[in-house]
Amino acid sequence: MPKMKTKRAAAKRFKTTGTGKLMKMKAYKSHILNKKSTKRKRNLRKATEVDATNAKMMKRILPYSK
């Protein structure tokens, strides 16, 4: 059986933690920042865990992540 290919777009957007959870950066941080509060922008900096409903599909398109 041939090697499975990783979806490169997903590999650039998601990182795997040591325990195998997928992390992603939050959206809405690229432009139109002057109407967003400082607190909101600060919270958008942090990475967050991928929702459990999507994690199974993400594991399929990232076969070699832990």
Side-chain angles (χ1 to χ4, degrees), residues 7-54:
K7 297 284 185 257
R8 298 309 298 160
K12 292 168 188 173
R13 287 169 174 81
F14 301 99
K15 299 293 174 225
T16 311
T17 63
T19 56
K21 295 176 185 172
L22 287 170
M23 301 298 284
K24 68 179 181 78
M25 291 307 289
K26 293 179 183 173
Y28 309 110
K29 185 64 171 64
S30 58
H31 60 95
I32 315 174
L33 298 173
N34 53 357
K35 67 172 77 169
K36 295 171 186 155
S37 70
T38 308
K39 179 180 177 181
R40 184 174 167 194
K41 289 185 280 190
R42 184 169 59 245
N43 287 328
L44 289 172
R45 280 184 217 148
K46 302 171 188 170
T48 185
E49 192 179 334
V50 172
D51 190 61
T53 56
N54 295 323

